[in-house]
Amino acid sequence: MKKQIAKLVVVENTPLNVKHNLLELKSHSPLTEMLPGQFVEIKVNGSESTYLRRPFSIHRVDYDKNTIHLLIKVVGKGTKSLSELEAGDSVDIIFPLGKGFSITENEEVLLVGGGCGVAPLYFLAEQLHRNGNTVNILIGGKSGEDILLHDQYKAYGNVFISTEDGSLGEKGMVTAHSIFSSHAGFGKIYCCGPDGMMRAVAHYAEKHKIPCEVSLENTMACGIGACLCCVVESVQGNVCVCTEGPVFESSTLKGWTVENEIGCSLD
Amino acid sequence: MKKQIAKLVVVENTPLNVKHNLLELKSHSPLTEMLPGQFVEIKVNGSESTYLRRPFSIHRVDYDKNTIHLLIKVVGKGTKSLSELEAGDSVDIIFPLGKGFSITENEEVLLVGGGCGVAPLYFLAEQLHRNGNTVNILIGGKSGEDILLHDQYKAYGNVFISTEDGSLGEKGMVTAHSIFSSHAGFGKIYCCGPDGMMRAVAHYAEKHKIPCEVSLENTMACGIGACLCCVVESVQGNVCVCTEGPVFESSTLKGWTVENEIGCSLD
Amino acid sequence: MADLTVKIHNLELKNPVLTASGTFGYGREYDDFIDVNDLGGIIVKATTSKHREGNPYPRMAETPMGMLNAVGLQNKGIEYFVREIYPKLTEYNTNIIANVSDSTIEGYVNVARKMNKLDHIAAIELNISCPNVKEGGMAFGTSCPSAMAVTRAVREVYDKTLIVKLSPNVTSITDIALAVEEAGADSISLINTLLGMAIDSEKRKPVLSTITGGLSGPAIKPIALRMVWQVSKVVKVPVIGIGGIASASDAIEFLLAGASAVQIGTSNFIDPAITIKIIAGIEEYLIKHRIAKVKELTGALIT
Amino acid sequence: MADLTVKIHNLELKNPVLTASGTFGYGREYDDFIDVNDLGGIIVKATTSKHREGNPYPRMAETPMGMLNAVGLQNKGIEYFVREIYPKLTEYNTNIIANVSDSTIEGYVNVARKMNKLDHIAAIELNISCPNVKEGGMAFGTSCPSAMAVTRAVREVYDKTLIVKLSPNVTSITDIALAVEEAGADSISLINTLLGMAIDSEKRKPVLSTITGGLSGPAIKPIALRMVWQVSKVVKVPVIGIGGIASASDAIEFLLAGASAVQIGTSNFIDPAITIKIIAGIEEYLIKHRIAKVKELTGALIT
Ligand SMILES: Cc1cc2nc3c(=O)[nH]c(=O)nc-3n(C[C@H](O)[C@H](O)[C@H](O)COP(=O)(O)OP(=O)(O)OC[C@H]3O[C@@H](n4cnc5c(N)ncnc54)[C@H](O)[C@@H]3O)c2cc1C
Ligand SMILES: Cc1cc2nc3c(=O)[nH]c(=O)nc-3n(C[C@H](O)[C@H](O)[C@H](O)COP(=O)(O)OP(=O)(O)OC[C@H]3O[C@@H](n4cnc5c(N)ncnc54)[C@H](O)[C@@H]3O)c2cc1C
Ligand SMILES: Cc1cc2nc3c(=O)[nH]c(=O)nc-3n(C[C@H](O)[C@H](O)[C@H](O)COP(=O)(O)O)c2cc1C
Ligand SMILES: Cc1cc2nc3c(=O)[nH]c(=O)nc-3n(C[C@H](O)[C@H](O)[C@H](O)COP(=O)(O)O)c2cc1C
Ligand code: FES
Ligand code: FES
């Protein structure tokens, strides 16, 4: 999978709610093969305060239409500017970057996404489904309106929802969802979301001896392993999230397999 | 004339040729009174390499429609970005700035503009015409396509054209135009264009004892007299072009009234 | 409503937002845009002993998120200041601080002595950091002995609040800060501009008539913030932060780093009403974070 | 076609464009984007005597047209370099320059001595200017005696081209430059990063784990250009310009200011193919301006 710098063209920019947009970008040349969990680095044009590129997970790849979909949450100037892109605008993008999730086969798997952490889960669910897995997708958020595009996952698995205010699905933190107590025999857990949530899920996985992969979000300068800015402490010392990750086996991350102190525990 | 910071809305952005655009900007509140020769400072949005505002002469004011017209020549990133504005975009602008031309009455006057230096001449011709003057407008450029909007001046005076390649009007430098030898009795000369041209015209005016006003273009940081970056040497020492000018009596500028060395002389 | 007042030695400011010398003229340049009296104070353009024409044009170059200037202390001298400018400044109802510059210690002392007699000049800021003059200027601010010498000499003739403005073009900003504190500074302001240069590659010439000039604007903010943090940890006198401040958030960063007040410079050129917006933004921040007094922010960085 | 070759002491470069240490990994990170062999040379990530984990995360903060880093010389040490990294580097057909760092003179000497034996390491760049380590690093580069001491010690064990990389965090860059030249440097490269700081005003915390970090990117270009100009006027050895170069025009400005070659750093993060574009742009410039050799640009500023 050779990395490339390309100009992609905005096909559609769909506002999902006040803070989230779905961006569909088209490539003129055939898209290279990509893996769920990999990401792209976008150069935000037209803002004097966005010097560095911004990393985003690949939400979905449509090889027929030659498009990549990104799910973008507006948090600062860069994402604001991206949310204002219009069809026809071109985007300077580097992709595919990082290591993706490992795709298991013929197992029952659980995907847990919190907030904008759902971004890579669509692509992941699709691939897992294709490889004969029984896919369970648990999506959490503060409120019903934070649960994005949950219908689209139904084609690939069972969808579970939890919201802190109970406005959609079960009420409570995503990590308190009944699926964790009702189901037991997941062959693998995939998780992407806020740090506290991922640690809690990783801890659950460890206790139940289930392999667990998490996708991290560190601040990045280069995205290609050149600057060493995006490190996380692994059992083997500092490693770059942009090249060794963003997806890691939770057991390889230092401090992740002990009871986390964030009070987001599952048991 | 109180200066103000305002958001004006682009009504129309008309490309005149490959390098020039006519920008019409609308104000919601009634426009304050402005003088020909005054300028505005625009904040160029969306470019990381345009930190400072950019100064532009007021080309025309339409008090009925509440619009200001600017004539913009693309020379760098800021002007490029402005040339790409679309109807509906808003522009952050400070105006009116500087001292304008002094409007004489009931005289025969000559206006000389070279290149993009014609920008303030439309507004000036209009006001001079309104004050009972006989207005002669001489416009020079490299080639016919550099002579912008010359028809619009006809409502206010006699238009003369010179081009270096002879493709429109007389062939030669604007300063070699026959009007300088055929006419003699101008009550006043107004000039705006490249430095060499203005100096030559100022020298002609001095020889013929005709009052002459020139409009200067210095690099500016603030446009309001606060930074002292835009100075020109006057007979009284350094003065700010943005507040004491941009229009100056050529006789008050140091080094302007002696034979200029640029080889652009009129005689 | 939050309490925005701060104190710089004997100086009471209604809020911590001042304007940086050389970027705000004598205040009146901004009268059309803001009510200057709403500011904590204004620091006016440098005054020297004698009239100065400054450097030849061109004096300005735009750089990535910043600018270089080579104005070179153009001003009409202290006599003219006292006679023509000062009377107009007395009409403002906020702190007027004079920025005092020169090429010789005698020159500084002469200006300071005359400023001392002007009731409405609440304080002086000693500019030992101007990179744009051939003699004196920055030279005073880049060695401890000379920084001390000029501060001491001025201290002897000046009774009110004496702020000393440091140059960032040094190896150890804390050494210079400690030196001027020992020599009698009541407050330290920093940073002045960083020495920089711009070249026009097409013309193969320097952009500025003086070849080098002073770099200001957002580009230098990280350096300014670091120096304010370093200095405020070692000195006892209040520190005033300067350098690339363009928003309330920027200003708050300087306060957290240890500044008691801030100065807004180049940003005034981009938005002549920025100072007022910054004051409003600081107040909003205090309310949002339930902080009663802006003073509590000074040095409140959690490390 | 213009002649793009330049010479840095014994080093022949096919063109004046090098990559800055710490921003280009070991070259292979860029193999997907460019043919690394097209570059004048690459300066690889710093190597120290012993394995170093570097500083804790977070190590990066974005700033106006720049960034702060606090990587802190993370690398696996010289033994690992010789065994695992060097063999891969020999596959490149361009100049490979090692960046040598440490906390002690013995450490520098140890690394330099081992680099001296590696045939395909064409030169070393002595990094006496890293602001991101507690001991050594920048401290060596901010005083003349220590800069001389480390340069001399390394000179004794290193036979090939010795480049010394200076820190901009000093009062007089020319003093340091003259000192390392006297101590045996064959070339001087500058600038390393400026010490800066970033604060998150909402969290009231420094952004970097180390509080301060090194500022790079276009924001620092005016300062770098000024220092290259100052240094190249006083030293006899060739100067290599570094700091915020993002275009061919930027690179040409450094050559005009006196540099014989340039290094591209942070810009590689924004556009991994920028180096190749800069080489092409320099050639275009030479053709347009009818200059036969890029060498003619060095110091050709008209003042
Ligand atoms: C591997 C990876 C995948 C990601 N996938 C997605 C995604 O699919 N959808 C999505 O909305 N967001 C995603 N993010 C987060 C996204 O990159 C940030 O929200 C974005 O960079 C913020 O930029 P800004 O200019 O809006 O914010 P600002 O706050 O203005 O950014 C300032 C700086 O901080 C960095 N930064 C701020 N927040 C983050 C963050 N959470 N992670 C990394 N860097 C940050 C920015 O890159 C920039 O350098 C991902 C991050 C990583 C590392
Ligand atoms: C009083 C005044 C009136 C003007 N009126 C007009 C007008 O009506 N129409 C028009 O097209 N242009 C006019 N100009 C020139 C115009 O301001 C510049 O062309 C423009 O600022 C260039 O910006 P840029 O980003 O495209 O170029 P860049 O080359 O990228 O600009 C870089 C820097 O140089 C400055 N600069 C570059 N060229 C000039 C110049 N000729 N004069 C002043 N500053 C310059 C810019 O402001 C900026 O700071 C006027 C200038 C002044 C001072
Ligand atoms: C055009 C200009 C003129 C300046 N003149 C002075 C001066 O006369 N005295 C002084 O102490 N500082 C002067 N400065 C420095 C500023 O006061 C301030 O220290 C510096 O610009 C950094 O702040 P900023 O980034 O907010 O502009 C000047 C700066 C600029 C841009
Ligand atoms: C992430 C990062 C890591 C760096 N690591 C090193 C290093 O290991 N050794 C060194 O001499 N300089 C290092 N530098 C400094 C650069 O080589 C260069 O001197 C500096 O960034 C200025 O150039 P630029 O503005 O083009 O980036 C590093 C810079 C960055 C941004
Ligand atoms: S972001 Fe540069 S190494 Fe990961
Ligand atoms: S541009 Fe600032 S004084 Fe004229």
Side-chain angles (χ1 to χ4, degrees):
Chain A
M1 269 176 297
K2 199 175 160 175
K3 299 173 201 116
Q4 56 178 297
I5 320 172
K7 296 253 178 213
L8 302 196
V9 177
V10 178
V11 177
E12 212 178 330
N13 185 358
T14 319
L16 300 178
N17 61 28
V18 68
K19 286 226 160 238
H20 293 85
N21 281 54
L22 186 66
L23 202 59
E24 184 175 1
L25 304 171
K26 190 176 175 64
S27 164
H28 289 297
S29 46
L31 283 171
T32 172
E33 199 199 325
M34 286 167 260
L35 294 176
Q38 286 191 303
F39 66 102
V40 306
E41 282 269 8
I42 296 189
K43 167 121 193 63
V44 180
N45 277 318
S47 165
E48 66 268 303
S49 41
T50 50
Y51 171 59
L52 299 168
R53 285 176 183 265
R54 302 293 194 252
F56 296 94
S57 301
I58 297 167
H59 175 61
R60 179 175 173 176
V61 184
D62 189 330
Y63 290 105
D64 298 329
K65 284 177 70 186
N66 246 331
T67 61
I68 296 179
H69 295 237
L70 306 175
L71 196 62
I72 293 184
K73 178 177 181 185
V74 177
V75 298
K77 294 211 180 168
T79 46
K80 179 88 177 37
S81 185
L82 293 175
S83 74
E84 290 162 357
L85 284 171
E86 291 170 12
D89 289 347
S90 90
V91 170
D92 184 325
I93 185 169
I94 304 182
F95 73 99
L97 301 175
K99 289 185 179 152
F101 292 100
S102 63
I103 306 297
T104 181
E105 284 175 18
N106 308 320
E107 291 206 83
E108 170 146 25
V109 297
L110 174 65
L111 280 55
V112 188
C116 195
V118 295
L121 296 193
Y122 179 86
F123 193 13
L124 177 61
E126 186 200 44
Q127 298 287 310
L128 286 167
H129 175 77
R130 175 172 304 172
N131 282 274
N133 298 285
T134 304
V135 182
N136 300 287
I137 302 148
L138 168 59
I139 304 174
K142 283 223 161 55
S143 163
E145 58 207 25
D146 299 321
I147 309 296
L148 303 167
L149 301 170
H150 54 87
D151 277 344
Q152 67 172 1
Y153 301 97
K154 288 189 180 152
Y156 307 122
N158 313 310
V159 179
F160 304 87
I161 290 171
S162 83
T163 55
E164 290 177 35
D165 67 0
S167 55
L168 199 69
E170 284 186 23
K171 183 178 163 125
M173 303 282 274
V174 57
T175 48
H177 194 276
S178 60
I179 195 170
F180 289 104
S181 39
S182 62
H183 270 60
F186 297 118
K188 186 143 185 173
I189 298 179
Y190 300 90
C191 183
C192 190
D195 192 75
M197 184 197 94
M198 290 197 290
R199 284 173 188 263
V201 171
H203 183 61
Y204 169 90
E206 188 199 10
K207 269 191 80 164
H208 293 80
K209 304 215 163 51
I210 306 168
C212 174
E213 291 186 10
V214 296
S215 175
L216 305 184
E217 270 191 21
N218 271 10
T219 47
M220 297 182 173
C222 73
I224 58 171
C227 74
L228 308 188
C229 286
C230 64
V231 289
V232 66
E233 254 192 291
S234 81
V235 288
Q236 281 156 29
N238 284 329
V239 293
C240 288
V241 171
C242 72
T243 47
E244 299 304 309
V247 176
F248 291 92
E249 284 253 359
S250 62
S251 60
T252 65
L253 296 176
K254 215 169 152 186
W256 273 62
T257 52
V258 297
E259 177 92 39
N260 73 82
E261 306 119 54
I262 307 188
C264 194
S265 170
L266 280 169
D267 335 58
Chain B
M1 268 176 298
K2 199 175 159 175
K3 299 173 200 118
Q4 56 179 297
I5 320 173
K7 295 254 179 212
L8 302 195
V9 177
V10 177
V11 178
E12 213 180 328
N13 186 358
T14 319
L16 300 178
N17 60 29
V18 68
K19 287 227 161 236
H20 293 86
N21 280 54
L22 186 66
L23 203 58
E24 183 175 2
L25 304 171
K26 190 177 175 66
S27 164
H28 290 297
S29 47
L31 284 171
T32 172
E33 199 199 326
M34 286 167 260
L35 295 176
Q38 286 191 303
F39 66 101
V40 306
E41 281 270 8
I42 297 189
K43 167 121 193 61
V44 180
N45 278 317
S47 164
E48 67 267 303
S49 41
T50 50
Y51 171 59
L52 299 168
R53 286 176 183 264
R54 301 293 193 254
F56 297 95
S57 300
I58 298 168
H59 174 61
R60 178 175 173 177
V61 184
D62 189 329
Y63 291 105
D64 299 328
K65 283 176 71 186
N66 247 330
T67 61
I68 297 180
H69 295 236
L70 305 175
L71 196 63
I72 292 183
K73 177 175 181 186
V74 176
V75 299
K77 293 211 180 169
T79 46
K80 179 89 178 33
S81 185
L82 292 175
S83 76
E84 290 163 356
L85 284 171
E86 291 171 10
D89 289 347
S90 89
V91 170
D92 183 325
I93 185 168
I94 304 182
F95 72 98
L97 301 174
K99 289 186 181 151
F101 292 101
S102 64
I103 306 296
T104 180
E105 284 175 19
N106 307 319
E107 292 206 83
E108 170 145 24
V109 297
L110 174 66
L111 280 55
V112 189
C116 195
V118 295
L121 296 193
Y122 179 85
F123 193 12
L124 176 61
E126 185 199 45
Q127 297 287 312
L128 286 167
H129 175 77
R130 175 171 304 173
N131 282 274
N133 298 286
T134 304
V135 183
N136 300 287
I137 303 148
L138 169 60
I139 304 173
K142 283 222 161 55
S143 163
E145 58 207 25
D146 299 321
I147 309 296
L148 303 166
L149 300 170
H150 54 88
D151 277 345
Q152 66 173 359
Y153 300 97
K154 289 189 179 153
Y156 307 122
N158 313 311
V159 180
F160 303 88
I161 292 170
S162 82
T163 54
E164 290 176 35
D165 67 359
S167 55
L168 199 69
E170 285 187 21
K171 182 178 164 125
M173 304 280 275
V174 57
T175 47
H177 194 276
S178 60
I179 194 170
F180 289 104
S181 40
S182 63
H183 270 61
F186 298 119
K188 185 144 185 171
I189 298 179
Y190 300 90
C191 184
C192 191
D195 192 75
M197 183 197 95
M198 290 198 289
R199 284 175 188 262
V201 171
H203 182 62
Y204 170 89
E206 188 199 8
K207 271 191 78 164
H208 294 79
K209 305 216 162 52
I210 305 169
C212 174
E213 291 186 9
V214 296
S215 176
L216 304 184
E217 271 191 23
N218 271 10
T219 48
M220 296 183 173
C222 73
I224 59 171
C227 74
L228 310 188
C229 286
C230 64
V231 289
V232 66
E233 255 191 291
S234 80
V235 287
Q236 279 155 31
N238 284 329
V239 294
C240 288
V241 171
C242 72
T243 48
E244 300 303 309
V247 176
F248 291 91
E249 284 253 358
S250 62
S251 60
T252 65
L253 297 175
K254 215 168 150 185
W256 274 61
T257 52
V258 296
E259 178 93 38
N260 74 82
E261 307 119 54
I262 308 190
C264 194
S265 170
L266 279 168
D267 340 56
Chain C
M1 250 197 57
D3 175 1
L4 289 181
T5 63
V6 298
K7 228 178 142 181
I8 301 291
H9 185 243
N10 286 330
L11 218 58
E12 314 257 7
L13 309 184
K14 57 187 106 172
N15 63 60
V17 177
L18 306 164
T19 56
S21 178
T23 67
F24 208 71
Y26 296 102
R28 65 174 195 287
E29 290 81 355
Y30 289 84
D31 282 344
D32 280 359
F33 305 107
I34 60 169
D35 183 349
V36 169
N37 296 318
D38 289 343
L39 302 175
I42 65 172
I43 303 183
V44 298
K45 179 73 200 152
T47 303
T48 53
S49 215
K50 296 264 168 304
H51 170 106
R52 276 179 186 248
E53 277 295 307
N55 294 314
Y57 178 85
R59 294 178 171 185
M60 191 278 278
E62 193 183 44
T63 67
M65 285 306 276
M67 64 174 278
L68 290 165
N69 89 79
V71 172
L73 302 180
Q74 177 180 333
N75 80 103
K76 298 218 157 112
I78 180 69
E79 316 265 306
Y80 183 90
F81 178 87
V82 173
R83 207 173 58 235
E84 304 289 334
I85 300 169
Y86 175 68
K88 289 182 205 142
L89 288 172
T90 62
E91 289 164 18
Y92 284 126
N93 179 24
T94 187
N95 292 296
I96 309 295
I97 300 172
N99 182 267
V100 173
S101 297
D102 216 281
S103 309
T104 63
I105 294 194
E106 296 69 46
Y108 278 104
V109 168
N110 177 33
V111 179
R113 182 178 280 130
K114 286 179 180 141
M115 290 289 181
N116 199 37
K117 294 188 198 129
L118 305 178
D119 282 350
H120 282 81
I121 299 295
I124 60 172
E125 179 179 61
L126 211 60
N127 174 12
I128 56 168
S129 43
C130 179
N132 295 323
V133 286
K134 282 214 187 79
E135 285 157 50
M138 195 175 92
F140 282 108
T142 52
S143 101
C144 291
S146 58
M148 284 183 95
V150 60
T151 306
R152 256 203 197 111
V154 167
R155 176 75 291 178
E156 272 176 30
V157 301
Y158 193 75
D159 305 319
K160 289 180 279 183
T161 302
L162 172 61
I163 306 163
V164 179
K165 181 167 180 180
L166 305 189
S167 167
N169 301 293
V170 296
T171 308
S172 170
I173 193 77
T174 51
D175 287 352
I176 308 277
L178 288 166
V180 301
E181 182 182 44
E182 193 190 321
D186 298 320
S187 170
I188 290 169
S189 63
L190 72 168
I191 59 175
N192 207 315
T193 53
L194 281 139
L195 197 62
M197 179 172 173
I199 291 176
D200 182 327
S201 62
E202 288 300 315
K203 295 191 187 137
R204 273 176 260 174
K205 281 187 183 168
V207 180
L208 301 174
S209 70
T210 48
I211 304 180
T212 62
L215 182 65
S216 64
I220 69 168
K221 196 191 79 172
I223 301 167
L225 204 53
R226 180 263 294 184
M227 290 191 166
V228 165
W229 183 72
Q230 288 179 320
V231 166
S232 64
K233 282 200 305 176
V234 300
V235 299
K236 286 176 212 75
V237 296
V239 168
I240 303 173
I242 324 167
I245 300 176
S247 66
S249 156
D250 290 341
I252 290 160
E253 291 167 22
F254 277 87
L255 299 178
L256 292 169
S260 297
V262 295
Q263 293 180 22
I264 317 298
T266 311
S267 291
N268 288 300
F269 305 159
I270 316 303
D271 180 357
I274 191 72
T275 44
I276 299 299
K277 292 178 190 163
I278 289 174
I279 296 167
I282 293 174
E283 179 150 22
E284 265 171 45
Y285 178 95
L286 294 174
I287 293 167
K288 179 177 160 204
H289 289 267
R290 296 164 193 281
I291 298 168
K293 302 174 179 185
V294 74
K295 290 186 189 92
E296 293 171 36
L297 288 181
T298 295
L301 191 71
I302 306 161
T303 54
Chain D
M1 249 196 60
D3 174 2
L4 289 180
T5 62
V6 299
K7 228 178 143 180
I8 303 291
H9 185 240
N10 287 331
L11 217 60
E12 313 259 6
L13 309 183
K14 57 188 105 172
N15 62 60
V17 177
L18 307 164
T19 57
S21 178
T23 67
F24 207 71
Y26 296 102
R28 63 173 196 288
E29 290 81 356
Y30 289 84
D31 282 344
D32 280 359
F33 305 106
I34 59 170
D35 183 349
V36 169
N37 296 319
D38 289 343
L39 303 175
I42 65 172
I43 303 182
V44 298
K45 178 75 199 149
T47 302
T48 54
S49 215
K50 297 264 169 302
H51 170 107
R52 279 179 185 245
E53 277 297 307
N55 294 314
Y57 179 85
R59 294 178 171 183
M60 189 279 278
E62 192 184 45
T63 67
M65 286 307 276
M67 65 173 278
L68 290 164
N69 89 80
V71 172
L73 302 180
Q74 178 181 332
N75 80 103
K76 299 217 156 116
I78 180 69
E79 316 265 306
Y80 182 90
F81 178 87
V82 172
R83 209 174 55 236
E84 304 288 334
I85 300 169
Y86 174 68
K88 288 182 205 140
L89 288 172
T90 61
E91 290 165 17
Y92 284 126
N93 179 25
T94 186
N95 292 296
I96 310 295
I97 300 172
N99 182 268
V100 173
S101 296
D102 216 279
S103 308
T104 63
I105 293 193
E106 297 69 45
Y108 278 104
V109 167
N110 178 33
V111 179
R113 183 178 279 130
K114 288 180 177 138
M115 291 289 180
N116 200 37
K117 294 189 198 128
L118 304 178
D119 281 351
H120 282 80
I121 300 295
I124 61 172
E125 178 180 60
L126 212 60
N127 174 11
I128 56 169
S129 44
C130 179
N132 295 324
V133 287
K134 283 213 187 78
E135 285 156 51
M138 196 175 91
F140 283 108
T142 53
S143 101
C144 291
S146 58
M148 282 184 96
V150 60
T151 306
R152 258 203 195 111
V154 167
R155 176 76 292 177
E156 272 176 29
V157 302
Y158 193 75
D159 306 319
K160 289 180 277 180
T161 302
L162 172 59
I163 304 164
V164 179
K165 182 168 177 179
L166 305 189
S167 166
N169 302 291
V170 296
T171 308
S172 171
I173 193 76
T174 50
D175 286 353
I176 309 277
L178 288 167
V180 302
E181 181 181 46
E182 193 189 321
D186 297 320
S187 169
I188 290 170
S189 62
L190 73 168
I191 62 175
N192 207 314
T193 54
L194 280 137
L195 196 63
M197 178 173 175
I199 291 176
D200 182 327
S201 63
E202 289 300 314
K203 297 192 186 136
R204 273 175 262 173
K205 282 186 183 169
V207 179
L208 300 173
S209 69
T210 46
I211 305 179
T212 60
L215 183 65
S216 64
I220 69 168
K221 195 190 79 173
I223 300 167
L225 204 53
R226 181 263 296 184
M227 290 190 166
V228 164
W229 183 72
Q230 288 180 321
V231 166
S232 64
K233 281 199 306 176
V234 300
V235 300
K236 285 175 213 75
V237 296
V239 169
I240 303 173
I242 324 167
I245 300 175
S247 66
S249 156
D250 290 341
I252 290 160
E253 291 168 21
F254 277 87
L255 299 177
L256 292 170
S260 298
V262 295
Q263 293 179 22
I264 317 297
T266 310
S267 291
N268 288 300
F269 305 159
I270 315 304
D271 179 357
I274 190 73
T275 43
I276 299 300
K277 291 178 191 163
I278 289 174
I279 296 168
I282 293 174
E283 179 150 21
E284 264 172 46
Y285 177 95
L286 293 174
I287 294 167
K288 180 177 159 205
H289 290 266
R290 296 165 194 280
I291 298 168
K293 302 175 179 187
V294 74
K295 289 186 190 94
E296 293 172 37
L297 288 180
T298 296
L301 190 71
I302 306 162
T303 55

